[in-house]
Amino acid sequence: MGKIDISLSSYLSHPPVFADLFNAWLYGGRQVIDYHGLRQEDPVQNRPEYSAAYKHVRDVVKMYYQDGMELVLLGIENQEKIDYTAPVRIMQYDGADYQKKVRRVEEENRKRLGLKTGFPAFFPDDRITPVITLLLYFGEEEWKRPRRLHDLLRFPEESDRLRSFVPDYPIHVLSVRRDMDISLLHTELRQVFGFLQCQEDRKALKKYVKENEHVFSRLSKDAALFLAAAAKGTQILSALNVKEESCNMCKALDDLYNDGVNQGEEYFAALSQKLLADFRTDDLQKAIQNKEYRKKLYREYRIERCSG
């Protein structure tokens, strides 16, 4: 996802936002994860020495500590489009994290017991920290599959017995636009995700921003950049003043909306002139009443138009 991914990961890396998302998803909004207990982990996963020379890079990954002890490793992978290989990719990420934990235990045991390198050093009572990865999906298309490794595998017909011997690996996909219950969120992430859920309906979006003006009028800079990236809102981004620590999303949207209305009027005036010059008054009447037909005429006359 490139620059978009950077904006998303940067905002979601904020401990209060990160904790808010996982408290909503894992615990139904109960404040179980205290963001003060989160520690940033290195997102770069080095591959074993014997494998090809490349690295995995997580989007966001944090260790959660409780009473000074590691409790769980939490990761977020941002996804803009459906990835039909996601179960394999997530399995690799999680496996690399588990392998890293095993190696750390082995190193500690070797040091404690004076064992030489190469000897087995993971013992029956040793345990490692669990890993949970959330695939946060921002796309509009419904993510139906894949949701587990078996969705990718080709099994012969009548192969229930074979299937039962092949380990499966389910993944956790949360669609921001379809599945996220924003009422469970307690930070400005509620308004940010609410914005994304409303953005396809301009009237609903304008109403939602107005109802949450107390948040959108002083949105954090990182939240505004996140929103512009997730919404593919390059026009929104250009309308924002990101030089300050907080941004007025309400003003940016008003400016954008007013510019869009004025621009739309100019485009329709140009279309009307061309239709009248070609004596196509019936088409003009139809264009006034039918948005899709109006778009068709814009394309026919090669008039650069706004979305309306």
Side-chain angles (χ1 to χ4, degrees):
M1 293 168 65
K3 293 181 179 179
I4 293 178
D5 211 11
I6 293 172
S7 297
L8 298 179
S9 298
S10 176
Y11 180 57
L12 293 171
S13 291
H14 288 259
V17 174
F18 188 95
D20 194 24
L21 175 59
F22 275 95
N23 279 327
W25 176 57
L26 288 176
Y27 300 109
R30 290 187 294 119
Q31 301 303 287
V32 176
I33 297 175
D34 179 357
Y35 73 86
H36 293 97
L38 293 170
R39 297 291 182 273
Q40 182 70 34
E41 291 281 302
D42 186 355
V44 179
Q45 299 179 325
N46 292 311
R47 299 286 289 168
E49 298 80 9
Y50 54 79
S51 68
Y54 72 95
K55 298 176 180 180
H56 291 151
V57 181
R58 288 268 206 178
D59 286 339
V60 188
V61 59
K62 292 181 182 292
M63 181 65 74
Y64 180 54
Y65 291 83
Q66 198 171 66
D67 298 326
M69 295 183 62
E70 291 184 359
L71 187 65
V72 61
L73 186 70
L74 301 171
I76 298 175
E77 294 302 317
N78 302 312
Q79 195 67 39
E80 183 183 6
K81 297 180 180 179
I82 296 175
D83 176 8
Y84 293 101
T85 67
V88 172
R89 179 162 59 93
I90 299 301
M91 186 169 61
Q92 286 180 316
Y93 289 160
D94 293 351
D97 281 325
Y98 282 128
Q99 187 178 58
K100 181 179 179 180
K101 297 302 177 186
V102 166
R103 286 182 171 182
R104 191 177 72 177
V105 170
E106 289 182 322
E107 288 172 0
E108 291 173 353
N109 285 343
R110 289 193 182 100
K111 183 177 180 180
R112 178 171 55 87
L113 300 173
L115 299 175
K116 294 182 179 180
T117 302
F119 282 85
F122 196 92
F123 304 119
D125 292 334
D126 287 329
R127 297 292 183 270
I128 57 176
T129 307
V131 177
I132 299 176
T133 298
L134 173 62
L135 196 156
L136 201 58
Y137 173 55
F138 292 91
E140 297 175 19
E141 183 182 354
E142 183 180 1
W143 187 306
K144 296 180 180 179
R145 299 177 65 181
R147 289 184 174 269
R148 56 197 325 110
L149 178 61
H150 277 195
D151 288 341
L152 273 67
L153 304 183
R154 182 190 301 112
F155 289 102
E157 293 183 8
E158 300 179 2
S159 60
D160 290 344
R161 182 166 178 78
L162 176 62
R163 182 188 294 268
S164 68
F165 279 90
V166 178
D168 201 358
Y169 200 85
I171 61 173
H172 307 293
V173 179
L174 179 62
S175 173
V176 172
R177 300 176 192 269
R178 293 173 176 269
D179 303 330
M180 185 72 232
D181 181 355
I182 62 173
S183 69
L184 302 177
L185 297 167
H186 296 273
T187 66
E188 66 178 7
L189 190 62
R190 172 189 289 194
Q191 284 75 25
V192 168
F193 280 178
F195 183 103
L196 296 176
Q197 292 177 354
C198 293
Q199 75 169 103
E200 297 305 315
D201 185 332
R202 175 176 285 184
K203 290 183 179 179
L205 177 60
K206 195 173 183 180
K207 181 174 181 288
Y208 183 77
V209 171
K210 183 65 177 177
E211 291 173 346
N212 293 272
E213 187 174 2
H214 63 290
V215 174
F216 286 112
S217 62
R218 53 178 185 273
L219 202 64
S220 69
K221 180 171 67 175
D222 283 344
L225 293 172
F226 168 93
L227 202 50
K232 299 182 183 178
T234 53
Q235 290 178 303
I236 295 175
L237 185 59
S238 63
L240 286 170
N241 180 8
V242 294
K243 294 181 181 180
E244 305 294 334
E245 286 304 311
S246 63
C247 300
N248 191 334
M249 182 66 72
C250 302
K251 183 178 184 303
L253 285 175
D254 282 342
D255 292 345
L256 187 63
Y257 178 77
N258 292 332
D259 288 346
V261 169
N262 294 333
Q263 194 177 49
E265 290 176 350
E266 292 176 3
Y267 290 151
F268 188 68
L271 177 63
S272 299
Q273 289 178 353
K274 290 182 179 295
L275 290 172
L276 290 173
D278 291 341
F279 303 100
R280 297 175 63 178
T281 54
D282 290 342
D283 287 330
L284 176 57
Q285 183 64 32
K286 189 174 179 180
I288 293 172
Q289 300 172 344
N290 189 314
K291 181 179 179 179
E292 293 305 316
Y293 190 69
R294 187 162 65 246
K295 290 181 179 180
K296 177 178 177 294
L297 291 174
Y298 280 136
R299 290 192 295 269
E300 179 182 337
Y301 281 100
R302 298 184 178 179
I303 297 175
E304 184 182 359
R305 56 175 178 75
C306 61
S307 59

